[in-house]
PDB file of all heavy atoms in Angstrom:
ATOM      1  N   LEU A 130      -6.693  15.717  22.963  1.00  0.00           N
ATOM      2  CA  LEU A 130      -7.167  15.499  21.451  1.00  0.00           C
ATOM      3  C   LEU A 130      -5.762  15.592  20.678  1.00  0.00           C
ATOM      4  O   LEU A 130      -5.048  16.586  20.754  1.00  0.00           O
ATOM      5  CB  LEU A 130      -8.120  16.460  20.964  1.00  0.00           C
ATOM      6  CG  LEU A 130      -8.598  16.365  19.557  1.00  0.00           C
ATOM      7  CD1 LEU A 130      -9.377  15.075  19.443  1.00  0.00           C
ATOM      8  CD2 LEU A 130      -9.513  17.468  19.119  1.00  0.00           C
ATOM      9  N   VAL A 131      -5.600  14.453  19.988  1.00  0.00           N
ATOM     10  CA  VAL A 131      -4.373  14.508  19.000  1.00  0.00           C
ATOM     11  C   VAL A 131      -4.953  14.352  17.617  1.00  0.00           C
ATOM     12  O   VAL A 131      -5.698  13.516  17.173  1.00  0.00           O
ATOM     13  CB  VAL A 131      -3.558  13.149  19.413  1.00  0.00           C
ATOM     14  CG1 VAL A 131      -2.327  13.019  18.473  1.00  0.00           C
ATOM     15  CG2 VAL A 131      -3.230  13.077  20.775  1.00  0.00           C
ATOM     16  N   ASN A 132      -4.212  15.198  16.719  1.00  0.00           N
ATOM     17  CA  ASN A 132      -4.440  15.263  15.386  1.00  0.00           C
ATOM     18  C   ASN A 132      -3.063  14.889  14.665  1.00  0.00           C
ATOM     19  O   ASN A 132      -2.029  15.663  14.808  1.00  0.00           O
ATOM     20  CB  ASN A 132      -4.852  16.583  14.978  1.00  0.00           C
ATOM     21  CG  ASN A 132      -5.344  16.709  13.541  1.00  0.00           C
ATOM     22  OD1 ASN A 132      -5.571  15.613  12.829  1.00  0.00           O
ATOM     23  ND2 ASN A 132      -5.386  17.837  12.931  1.00  0.00           N
ATOM     24  N   LEU A 133      -3.124  13.812  13.870  1.00  0.00           N
ATOM     25  CA  LEU A 133      -1.915  13.389  13.113  1.00  0.00           C
ATOM     26  C   LEU A 133      -2.286  13.316  11.649  1.00  0.00           C
ATOM     27  O   LEU A 133      -3.274  12.579  11.175  1.00  0.00           O
ATOM     28  CB  LEU A 133      -1.524  12.042  13.645  1.00  0.00           C
ATOM     29  CG  LEU A 133      -0.305  11.386  12.836  1.00  0.00           C
ATOM     30  CD1 LEU A 133       0.870  12.188  13.022  1.00  0.00           C
ATOM     31  CD2 LEU A 133      -0.157   9.988  13.434  1.00  0.00           C
ATOM     32  N   ASP A 134      -1.471  14.106  10.899  1.00  0.00           N
ATOM     33  CA  ASP A 134      -1.573  14.022   9.468  1.00  0.00           C
ATOM     34  C   ASP A 134      -0.273  13.428   8.911  1.00  0.00           C
ATOM     35  O   ASP A 134       0.777  14.116   8.890  1.00  0.00           O
ATOM     36  CB  ASP A 134      -1.836  15.383   8.764  1.00  0.00           C
ATOM     37  CG  ASP A 134      -2.018  15.373   7.313  1.00  0.00           C
ATOM     38  OD1 ASP A 134      -2.176  14.267   6.706  1.00  0.00           O
ATOM     39  OD2 ASP A 134      -2.277  16.496   6.815  1.00  0.00           O
ATOM     40  N   MET A 135      -0.192  12.234   8.448  1.00  0.00           N
ATOM     41  CA  MET A 135       0.878  11.437   8.010  1.00  0.00           C
ATOM     42  C   MET A 135       0.826  11.105   6.564  1.00  0.00           C
ATOM     43  O   MET A 135      -0.116  10.613   6.180  1.00  0.00           O
ATOM     44  CB  MET A 135       1.203  10.202   8.911  1.00  0.00           C
ATOM     45  CG  MET A 135       2.363   9.614   8.736  1.00  0.00           C
ATOM     46  SD  MET A 135       2.669   8.176   9.989  1.00  0.00           S
ATOM     47  CE  MET A 135       4.226   7.471   9.333  1.00  0.00           C
ATOM     48  N   LYS A 136       1.893  11.419   5.704  1.00  0.00           N
ATOM     49  CA  LYS A 136       1.854  11.115   4.360  1.00  0.00           C
ATOM     50  C   LYS A 136       3.166  10.406   3.916  1.00  0.00           C
ATOM     51  O   LYS A 136       4.254  10.539   4.595  1.00  0.00           O
ATOM     52  CB  LYS A 136       1.749  12.396   3.594  1.00  0.00           C
ATOM     53  CG  LYS A 136       0.474  13.304   3.824  1.00  0.00           C
ATOM     54  CD  LYS A 136       0.404  14.533   3.010  1.00  0.00           C
ATOM     55  CE  LYS A 136      -0.684  15.386   3.311  1.00  0.00           C
ATOM     56  NZ  LYS A 136      -0.682  16.685   2.590  1.00  0.00           N
ATOM     57  N   HIS A 137       3.167   9.711   2.875  1.00  0.00           N
ATOM     58  CA  HIS A 137       4.317   9.053   2.379  1.00  0.00           C
ATOM     59  C   HIS A 137       4.251   8.844   0.828  1.00  0.00           C
ATOM     60  O   HIS A 137       3.161   8.805   0.290  1.00  0.00           O
ATOM     61  CB  HIS A 137       4.608   7.711   3.046  1.00  0.00           C
ATOM     62  CG  HIS A 137       3.428   6.728   3.038  1.00  0.00           C
ATOM     63  ND1 HIS A 137       3.252   5.866   1.773  1.00  0.00           N
ATOM     64  CD2 HIS A 137       2.382   6.400   3.855  1.00  0.00           C
ATOM     65  CE1 HIS A 137       2.147   5.265   2.067  1.00  0.00           C
ATOM     66  NE2 HIS A 137       1.650   5.624   3.199  1.00  0.00           N
ATOM     67  N   GLY A 138       5.442   8.574   0.244  1.00  0.00           N
ATOM     68  CA  GLY A 138       5.468   8.415  -1.142  1.00  0.00           C
ATOM     69  C   GLY A 138       5.149   9.735  -1.983  1.00  0.00           C
ATOM     70  O   GLY A 138       5.578  10.789  -1.659  1.00  0.00           O
ATOM     71  N   VAL A 139       4.222   9.604  -2.845  1.00  0.00           N
ATOM     72  CA  VAL A 139       3.846  10.763  -3.744  1.00  0.00           C
ATOM     73  C   VAL A 139       3.227  11.852  -2.947  1.00  0.00           C
ATOM     74  O   VAL A 139       3.342  12.999  -3.097  1.00  0.00           O
ATOM     75  CB  VAL A 139       2.872  10.222  -4.893  1.00  0.00           C
ATOM     76  CG1 VAL A 139       2.497  11.372  -5.706  1.00  0.00           C
ATOM     77  CG2 VAL A 139       3.691   9.160  -5.701  1.00  0.00           C
ATOM     78  N   GLU A 140       2.424  11.361  -1.943  1.00  0.00           N
ATOM     79  CA  GLU A 140       1.571  12.384  -1.178  1.00  0.00           C
ATOM     80  C   GLU A 140       2.574  13.271  -0.291  1.00  0.00           C
ATOM     81  O   GLU A 140       2.253  14.468  -0.068  1.00  0.00           O
ATOM     82  CB  GLU A 140       0.731  11.691  -0.118  1.00  0.00           C
ATOM     83  CG  GLU A 140      -0.363  10.830  -0.856  1.00  0.00           C
ATOM     84  CD  GLU A 140      -1.126  10.007   0.122  1.00  0.00           C
ATOM     85  OE1 GLU A 140      -0.933  10.240   1.423  1.00  0.00           O
ATOM     86  OE2 GLU A 140      -1.975   9.334  -0.186  1.00  0.00           O
ATOM     87  N   ALA A 141       3.790  12.791  -0.081  1.00  0.00           N
ATOM     88  CA  ALA A 141       4.650  13.580   0.762  1.00  0.00           C
ATOM     89  C   ALA A 141       5.529  14.567   0.029  1.00  0.00           C
ATOM     90  O   ALA A 141       6.183  15.541   0.620  1.00  0.00           O
ATOM     91  CB  ALA A 141       5.719  12.648   1.555  1.00  0.00           C
TER      92      ALA A 141
END
Side-chain angles (χ1 to χ4, degrees):
L130 184 64
V131 179
N132 184 23
L133 175 63
D134 186 7
M135 189 171 175
K136 301 177 182 180
H137 56 81
V139 178
E140 299 176 1

